[in-house]
Amino acid sequence: MKRYITIDGGTTNTRIYLVENKNILKSIKLSLGAKDCTKDNSYFKKSIKESIENLLKEFNLSENDITAIIASGMITSESGLFAVKHTNAPAGLKELHNSMQKTLIEEISSIPFCFISGVIVKNEDFLSTDMMRGEEAEIFGLLTEETKNYAFVLPGSHSKIITLDSQNRIESCVTLLTGEMIFSLWNSTILKDSFSLDFEDFSAEYLEKGYDACLEFGINQAIFKTRILKNIFGAKSKECYSYFLGVIFADEIKAIKKTSKKGVVIGGKASLKLPMAYLIKAKTNLEVIALDDVQTSTATALGAIKIFELEK
Protein backbone atom coordinates (compact mmCIF):
# COMPACT_ATOMS: atom_id res chain seq x y z
CA MET A 1 0.00 0.00 0.00
CA LYS A 2 1.49 3.33 -1.08
CA ARG A 3 0.75 6.50 0.82
CA TYR A 4 1.95 9.98 0.02
CA ILE A 5 1.61 13.51 1.24
CA THR A 6 1.41 15.87 -1.74
CA ILE A 7 1.68 19.64 -1.55
CA ASP A 8 0.29 21.95 -4.22
CA GLY A 9 1.86 25.28 -3.34
CA GLY A 10 0.54 28.40 -5.02
CA THR A 11 1.35 32.07 -4.68
CA THR A 12 -1.40 32.75 -2.13
CA ASN A 13 -2.81 29.33 -1.13
CA THR A 14 -1.39 25.87 -0.44
CA ARG A 15 -3.20 22.53 -0.48
CA ILE A 16 -1.86 19.48 1.34
CA TYR A 17 -3.24 16.05 0.42
CA LEU A 18 -3.06 12.64 2.03
CA VAL A 19 -3.17 10.05 -0.76
CA GLU A 20 -3.49 6.29 -0.37
CA ASN A 21 -3.30 4.03 -3.43
CA LYS A 22 -4.07 7.09 -5.59
CA ASN A 23 -7.21 7.87 -3.62
CA ILE A 24 -7.42 11.26 -1.93
CA LEU A 25 -8.23 10.60 1.72
CA LYS A 26 -8.31 14.24 2.77
CA SER A 27 -6.93 17.66 1.91
CA ILE A 28 -6.14 20.74 3.96
CA LYS A 29 -6.11 24.26 2.52
CA LEU A 30 -3.74 26.88 3.92
CA SER A 31 -4.23 30.55 3.13
CA LEU A 32 -0.48 30.84 2.74
CA GLY A 33 1.79 30.60 -0.26
CA ALA A 34 5.05 31.67 -1.85
CA LYS A 35 4.23 35.32 -1.24
CA ASP A 36 4.45 34.63 2.49
CA CYS A 37 7.97 33.20 2.19
CA THR A 38 9.80 36.15 0.65
CA LYS A 39 11.23 37.43 3.95
CA ASP A 40 10.75 34.60 6.44
CA ASN A 41 9.34 31.14 5.73
CA SER A 42 9.35 29.92 9.34
CA TYR A 43 5.58 30.37 9.81
CA PHE A 44 4.93 28.67 6.45
CA LYS A 45 7.05 25.71 7.54
CA LYS A 46 5.27 25.55 10.89
CA SER A 47 1.85 25.54 9.18
CA ILE A 48 2.85 22.73 6.82
CA LYS A 49 4.29 20.73 9.72
CA GLU A 50 1.06 21.07 11.73
CA SER A 51 -1.10 20.15 8.72
CA ILE A 52 0.89 16.99 8.05
CA GLU A 53 0.76 16.02 11.71
CA ASN A 54 -3.01 16.55 11.77
CA LEU A 55 -3.52 14.40 8.66
CA LEU A 56 -1.44 11.56 10.09
CA LYS A 57 -3.16 11.75 13.45
CA GLU A 58 -6.66 11.71 11.95
CA PHE A 59 -5.92 8.52 10.00
CA ASN A 60 -3.84 6.91 12.77
CA LEU A 61 -0.67 6.91 10.67
CA SER A 62 2.97 7.56 11.50
CA GLU A 63 5.62 9.22 9.38
CA ASN A 64 6.97 5.73 8.57
CA ASP A 65 3.69 4.97 6.79
CA ILE A 66 4.35 7.71 4.20
CA THR A 67 6.64 7.04 1.22
CA ALA A 68 7.40 10.68 0.45
CA ILE A 69 6.16 14.24 0.55
CA ILE A 70 5.82 15.39 -3.07
CA ALA A 71 5.64 19.13 -3.63
CA SER A 72 4.97 21.15 -6.77
CA GLY A 73 4.01 24.68 -7.74
CA MET A 74 5.28 28.03 -6.52
CA ILE A 75 6.60 26.28 -3.41
CA THR A 76 9.54 25.31 -5.67
CA SER A 77 10.24 28.88 -6.81
CA GLU A 78 13.01 31.15 -5.56
CA SER A 79 10.46 32.76 -3.22
CA GLY A 80 9.00 29.45 -2.08
CA LEU A 81 10.17 26.74 0.31
CA PHE A 82 12.88 25.08 -1.82
CA ALA A 83 14.04 26.51 -5.16
CA VAL A 84 14.18 24.14 -8.12
CA LYS A 85 15.32 25.20 -11.58
CA HIS A 86 12.75 24.91 -14.40
CA THR A 87 12.97 21.91 -16.72
CA ASN A 88 13.25 22.85 -20.39
CA ALA A 89 10.43 21.87 -22.73
CA PRO A 90 9.68 19.48 -24.24
CA ALA A 91 9.11 17.93 -20.83
CA GLY A 92 7.15 14.78 -20.09
CA LEU A 93 6.89 12.42 -17.14
CA LYS A 94 10.44 11.13 -17.67
CA GLU A 95 12.06 14.57 -17.83
CA LEU A 96 10.16 15.81 -14.77
CA HIS A 97 10.92 12.66 -12.82
CA ASN A 98 14.64 12.96 -13.56
CA SER A 99 14.74 16.62 -12.55
CA MET A 100 13.07 16.12 -9.13
CA GLN A 101 15.04 17.37 -6.17
CA LYS A 102 15.01 15.23 -3.03
CA THR A 103 15.83 16.63 0.40
CA LEU A 104 14.97 16.49 4.07
CA ILE A 105 13.42 19.49 5.80
CA GLU A 106 13.78 18.45 9.41
CA GLU A 107 11.87 21.45 10.76
CA ILE A 108 8.80 20.00 9.04
CA SER A 109 9.13 16.22 8.97
CA SER A 110 11.49 13.25 8.85
CA ILE A 111 9.65 12.14 5.69
CA PRO A 112 11.81 12.96 2.63
CA PHE A 113 10.59 15.77 0.37
CA CYS A 114 10.59 15.48 -3.42
CA PHE A 115 10.22 18.79 -5.23
CA ILE A 116 8.95 18.74 -8.83
CA SER A 117 10.34 21.42 -11.09
CA GLY A 118 8.30 23.77 -13.22
CA VAL A 119 8.66 23.83 -17.01
CA ILE A 120 10.06 26.61 -19.18
CA VAL A 121 9.29 26.93 -22.89
CA LYS A 122 12.34 28.99 -23.78
CA ASN A 123 12.95 30.72 -27.10
CA GLU A 124 15.33 33.44 -28.24
CA ASP A 125 12.52 36.03 -28.18
CA PHE A 126 11.05 36.80 -24.73
CA LEU A 127 7.65 37.29 -26.38
CA SER A 128 7.57 33.60 -27.35
CA THR A 129 8.95 32.32 -24.03
CA ASP A 130 6.72 31.16 -21.19
CA MET A 131 6.86 29.09 -18.02
CA MET A 132 4.80 27.29 -15.40
CA ARG A 133 5.04 25.93 -11.88
CA GLY A 134 2.39 23.48 -10.70
CA GLU A 135 0.49 23.11 -13.95
CA GLU A 136 2.96 20.45 -15.13
CA ALA A 137 1.73 18.14 -12.34
CA GLU A 138 -1.88 19.12 -13.00
CA ILE A 139 -1.59 18.32 -16.70
CA PHE A 140 -0.38 14.77 -16.08
CA GLY A 141 -3.15 14.28 -13.55
CA LEU A 142 -5.67 15.24 -16.24
CA LEU A 143 -4.08 13.46 -19.21
CA THR A 144 -6.01 10.44 -20.51
CA GLU A 145 -6.18 8.54 -23.77
CA GLU A 146 -9.23 10.64 -24.67
CA THR A 147 -7.58 14.01 -24.01
CA LYS A 148 -4.04 13.49 -25.32
CA ASN A 149 -4.76 15.23 -28.65
CA TYR A 150 -6.35 18.26 -26.98
CA ALA A 151 -4.96 21.55 -25.70
CA PHE A 152 -5.39 22.10 -21.98
CA VAL A 153 -6.96 25.34 -20.77
CA LEU A 154 -6.54 25.97 -17.06
CA PRO A 155 -8.31 29.22 -16.09
CA GLY A 156 -7.31 30.75 -12.79
CA SER A 157 -5.26 33.54 -11.25
CA HIS A 158 -2.67 32.85 -13.93
CA SER A 159 -4.53 31.09 -16.73
CA LYS A 160 -2.57 28.62 -18.83
CA ILE A 161 -3.04 27.24 -22.34
CA ILE A 162 -0.79 24.20 -22.66
CA THR A 163 -0.18 21.74 -25.49
CA LEU A 164 1.64 18.41 -25.53
CA ASP A 165 3.59 16.84 -28.39
CA SER A 166 3.09 13.37 -29.87
CA GLN A 167 5.15 11.86 -27.03
CA ASN A 168 2.92 13.44 -24.36
CA ARG A 169 5.56 16.02 -23.41
CA ILE A 170 4.69 19.63 -22.60
CA GLU A 171 5.75 21.59 -25.68
CA SER A 172 4.05 24.99 -25.45
CA CYS A 173 2.51 27.29 -22.88
CA VAL A 174 0.68 30.61 -22.91
CA THR A 175 0.08 32.47 -19.63
CA LEU A 176 -2.55 35.16 -19.07
CA LEU A 177 -3.26 37.07 -15.86
CA THR A 178 -6.97 36.34 -16.19
CA GLY A 179 -7.92 35.74 -12.56
CA GLU A 180 -5.73 38.50 -11.18
CA MET A 181 -7.07 40.91 -13.80
CA ILE A 182 -10.67 40.05 -12.90
CA PHE A 183 -10.08 40.72 -9.20
CA SER A 184 -7.87 43.78 -9.66
CA LEU A 185 -10.19 45.55 -12.10
CA TRP A 186 -13.19 44.79 -9.92
CA ASN A 187 -11.57 45.58 -6.58
CA SER A 188 -9.50 48.65 -7.46
CA THR A 189 -11.61 50.60 -9.94
CA ILE A 190 -15.02 52.26 -10.23
CA LEU A 191 -16.38 48.99 -11.60
CA LYS A 192 -16.67 47.54 -8.09
CA ASP A 193 -20.25 48.77 -7.62
CA SER A 194 -21.36 47.39 -10.99
CA PHE A 195 -21.50 43.70 -10.02
CA SER A 196 -20.49 41.04 -7.52
CA LEU A 197 -17.92 38.28 -8.03
CA ASP A 198 -20.09 35.76 -6.17
CA PHE A 199 -22.05 34.46 -9.18
CA GLU A 200 -21.82 30.76 -9.98
CA ASP A 201 -23.80 31.14 -13.22
CA PHE A 202 -23.76 33.70 -16.03
CA SER A 203 -25.82 35.32 -18.79
CA ALA A 204 -24.76 33.83 -22.12
CA GLU A 205 -26.15 36.84 -23.99
CA TYR A 206 -24.08 39.37 -22.05
CA LEU A 207 -21.01 37.14 -22.01
CA GLU A 208 -21.02 37.24 -25.81
CA LYS A 209 -21.71 40.99 -25.80
CA GLY A 210 -18.57 41.53 -23.72
CA TYR A 211 -16.49 39.31 -25.96
CA ASP A 212 -17.68 41.06 -29.13
CA ALA A 213 -17.15 44.52 -27.58
CA CYS A 214 -13.54 43.68 -26.72
CA LEU A 215 -12.87 42.59 -30.30
CA GLU A 216 -14.37 45.83 -31.63
CA PHE A 217 -13.09 48.40 -29.13
CA GLY A 218 -10.16 46.74 -27.33
CA ILE A 219 -10.12 45.84 -23.65
CA ASN A 220 -9.53 49.36 -22.30
CA GLN A 221 -12.63 50.92 -23.85
CA ALA A 222 -14.78 47.81 -23.68
CA ILE A 223 -14.20 47.26 -19.96
CA PHE A 224 -15.46 50.75 -19.05
CA LYS A 225 -18.73 50.04 -20.81
CA THR A 226 -19.53 47.71 -17.89
CA ARG A 227 -20.29 50.88 -15.92
CA ILE A 228 -22.37 52.34 -18.74
CA LEU A 229 -24.29 49.09 -18.93
CA LYS A 230 -25.26 49.41 -15.26
CA ASN A 231 -25.62 53.15 -14.72
CA ILE A 232 -27.22 54.21 -18.02
CA PHE A 233 -29.00 51.07 -19.18
CA GLY A 234 -29.92 49.62 -15.77
CA ALA A 235 -28.48 46.16 -16.38
CA LYS A 236 -28.62 43.73 -13.47
CA SER A 237 -25.51 42.64 -11.57
CA LYS A 238 -25.32 39.23 -13.28
CA GLU A 239 -25.57 40.82 -16.71
CA CYS A 240 -22.78 43.28 -15.90
CA TYR A 241 -20.65 40.50 -14.44
CA SER A 242 -21.16 38.36 -17.54
CA TYR A 243 -20.34 41.24 -19.89
CA PHE A 244 -17.19 41.96 -17.85
CA LEU A 245 -16.09 38.31 -18.05
CA GLY A 246 -16.66 38.30 -21.81
CA VAL A 247 -14.32 41.27 -22.19
CA ILE A 248 -11.63 39.67 -20.00
CA PHE A 249 -11.89 36.30 -21.77
CA ALA A 250 -11.51 37.74 -25.29
CA ASP A 251 -7.70 37.62 -25.30
CA GLU A 252 -7.74 34.11 -23.87
CA ILE A 253 -10.10 32.92 -26.62
CA LYS A 254 -7.83 34.62 -29.17
CA ALA A 255 -4.88 32.59 -27.87
CA ILE A 256 -6.94 29.37 -27.74
CA LYS A 257 -7.93 29.81 -31.39
CA LYS A 258 -4.27 29.46 -32.38
CA THR A 259 -4.03 25.88 -31.14
CA SER A 260 -3.49 23.21 -33.77
CA LYS A 261 -5.29 20.62 -31.65
CA LYS A 262 -8.80 19.41 -32.46
CA GLY A 263 -10.19 20.64 -29.18
CA VAL A 264 -9.56 21.83 -25.65
CA VAL A 265 -9.87 20.37 -22.18
CA ILE A 266 -10.91 22.96 -19.59
CA GLY A 267 -10.18 22.65 -15.89
CA GLY A 268 -10.28 25.19 -13.09
CA LYS A 269 -13.10 26.45 -10.91
CA ALA A 270 -16.67 26.32 -12.23
CA SER A 271 -17.02 30.12 -12.00
CA LEU A 272 -14.40 30.50 -14.74
CA LYS A 273 -14.57 27.08 -16.40
CA LEU A 274 -18.23 27.16 -17.41
CA PRO A 275 -18.37 30.62 -19.06
CA MET A 276 -15.03 29.90 -20.75
CA ALA A 277 -16.36 26.60 -22.13
CA TYR A 278 -19.48 28.38 -23.40
CA LEU A 279 -17.47 31.06 -25.23
CA ILE A 280 -15.13 28.55 -26.85
CA LYS A 281 -18.11 26.60 -28.16
CA ALA A 282 -19.84 29.79 -29.35
CA LYS A 283 -16.83 31.50 -30.94
CA THR A 284 -14.61 28.68 -32.26
CA ASN A 285 -14.92 25.36 -34.06
CA LEU A 286 -12.99 23.49 -31.38
CA GLU A 287 -14.35 20.52 -29.46
CA VAL A 288 -14.67 21.23 -25.74
CA ILE A 289 -14.35 18.91 -22.75
CA ALA A 290 -15.19 20.68 -19.47
CA LEU A 291 -13.87 18.60 -16.59
CA ASP A 292 -15.90 18.11 -13.43
CA ASP A 293 -14.85 19.60 -10.11
CA VAL A 294 -13.59 16.27 -8.71
CA GLN A 295 -11.22 15.79 -11.65
CA THR A 296 -9.82 19.29 -11.39
CA SER A 297 -9.48 19.31 -7.61
CA THR A 298 -7.46 16.07 -7.48
CA ALA A 299 -5.42 16.41 -10.69
CA THR A 300 -2.31 18.07 -9.25
CA ALA A 301 -1.94 15.55 -6.43
CA LEU A 302 -2.39 12.54 -8.73
CA GLY A 303 -0.15 14.03 -11.42
CA ALA A 304 2.63 14.63 -8.90
CA ILE A 305 2.47 10.95 -7.89
CA LYS A 306 2.67 9.90 -11.56
CA ILE A 307 5.83 11.95 -11.94
CA PHE A 308 7.34 10.58 -8.72
CA GLU A 309 6.63 6.91 -9.44
CA LEU A 310 8.02 6.81 -12.99
CA GLU A 311 10.91 4.39 -13.40
CA LYS A 312 14.14 6.01 -14.57
Side-chain angles (χ1 to χ4, degrees):
M1 183 176 295
K2 293 185 178 181
R3 299 186 186 93
Y4 297 99
I5 299 287
T6 71
I7 303 176
D8 176 14
T11 302
T12 56
N13 296 298
T14 299
R15 286 196 177 274
I16 303 171
Y17 299 84
L18 175 61
V19 186
E20 181 180 273
N21 291 336
K22 299 182 180 180
N23 294 311
I24 308 292
L25 298 184
K26 189 169 183 177
S27 68
I28 295 175
K29 179 182 177 181
L30 301 177
S31 298
L32 295 167
K35 69 175 178 59
D36 302 293
C37 294
T38 52
K39 294 182 179 180
D40 181 6
N41 63 13
S42 58
Y43 182 69
F44 188 49
K45 287 181 178 179
K46 180 183 177 182
S47 299
I48 292 175
K49 174 182 174 65
E50 290 175 351
S51 297
I52 292 173
E53 289 174 347
N54 289 338
L55 285 172
L56 296 179
K57 183 178 179 180
E58 180 174 346
F59 289 89
N60 197 29
L61 298 171
S62 71
E63 291 186 338
N64 291 331
D65 294 315
I66 306 299
T67 300
I69 300 170
I70 312 170
S72 64
M74 290 300 291
I75 197 170
T76 70
S77 71
E78 62 282 356
S79 60
L81 190 60
F82 185 85
V84 181
K85 185 179 179 181
H86 283 92
T87 297
N88 289 323
L93 289 172
K94 179 181 178 182
E95 289 78 13
L96 290 167
H97 176 87
N98 290 341
S99 64
M100 286 189 309
Q101 297 291 310
K102 298 182 180 181
T103 189
L104 274 177
I105 304 179
E106 294 181 354
E107 309 98 296
I108 297 177
S109 176
S110 64
I111 306 169
F113 273 77
C114 287
F115 289 90
I116 296 172
S117 75
V119 174
I120 186 169
V121 181
K122 191 172 183 180
N123 295 292
E124 292 183 4
D125 182 356
F126 79 94
L127 293 174
S128 58
T129 295
D130 216 312
M131 58 188 177
M132 68 185 77
R133 284 195 187 272
E135 290 85 5
E136 70 291 327
E138 185 175 2
I139 285 296
F140 290 109
L142 296 175
L143 184 64
T144 65
E145 191 65 28
E146 179 188 12
T147 61
K148 68 179 184 179
N149 292 318
Y150 286 67
F152 290 84
V153 177
L154 307 175
S157 296
H158 299 165
S159 289
K160 301 286 185 181
I161 303 166
I162 300 169
T163 62
L164 279 62
D165 65 14
S166 59
Q167 298 179 54
N168 291 332
R169 300 176 301 178
I170 295 169
E171 65 173 353
S172 74
C173 172
V174 174
T175 304
L176 302 98
L177 292 177
T178 304
E180 288 192 339
M181 187 180 294
I182 288 170
F183 182 77
S184 296
L185 285 171
W186 172 78
N187 186 60
S188 303
T189 71
I190 59 172
L191 299 181
K192 190 167 186 176
D193 67 353
S194 297
F195 58 88
S196 165
L197 291 182
D198 296 333
F199 288 103
E200 290 296 327
D201 60 348
F202 60 92
S203 163
E205 176 187 357
Y206 280 86
L207 189 71
E208 291 196 48
K209 285 181 184 292
Y211 173 88
D212 293 338
C214 191
L215 295 188
E216 181 175 354
F217 301 112
I219 188 171
N220 202 339
Q221 185 177 354
I223 206 75
F224 180 76
K225 293 185 183 295
T226 308
R227 184 168 174 81
I228 293 174
L229 191 59
K230 174 185 180 291
N231 288 10
I232 307 301
F233 289 85
K236 296 178 180 178
S237 181
K238 185 169 79 169
E239 294 169 342
C240 293
Y241 165 77
S242 301
Y243 171 86
F244 174 84
L245 277 188
V247 176
I248 297 295
F249 284 165
D251 279 345
E252 198 156 335
I253 302 296
K254 181 180 178 181
I256 291 169
K257 282 183 174 181
K258 295 179 180 178
T259 181
S260 60
K261 303 294 186 178
K262 68 177 184 179
V264 297
V265 176
I266 306 180
K269 296 180 179 178
S271 58
L272 295 181
K273 173 176 59 185
L274 298 180
M276 176 68 72
Y278 175 86
L279 271 182
I280 295 173
K281 290 177 182 178
K283 301 297 182 179
T284 78
N285 295 319
L286 295 168
E287 297 177 12
V288 178
I289 299 175
L291 300 171
D292 63 44
D293 290 346
V294 173
Q295 289 173 294
T296 57
S297 65
T298 61
T300 302
L302 298 180
I305 293 171
K306 279 187 182 180
I307 293 167
F308 176 87
E309 289 186 342
L310 185 75
E311 293 292 336
K312 290 188 178 181

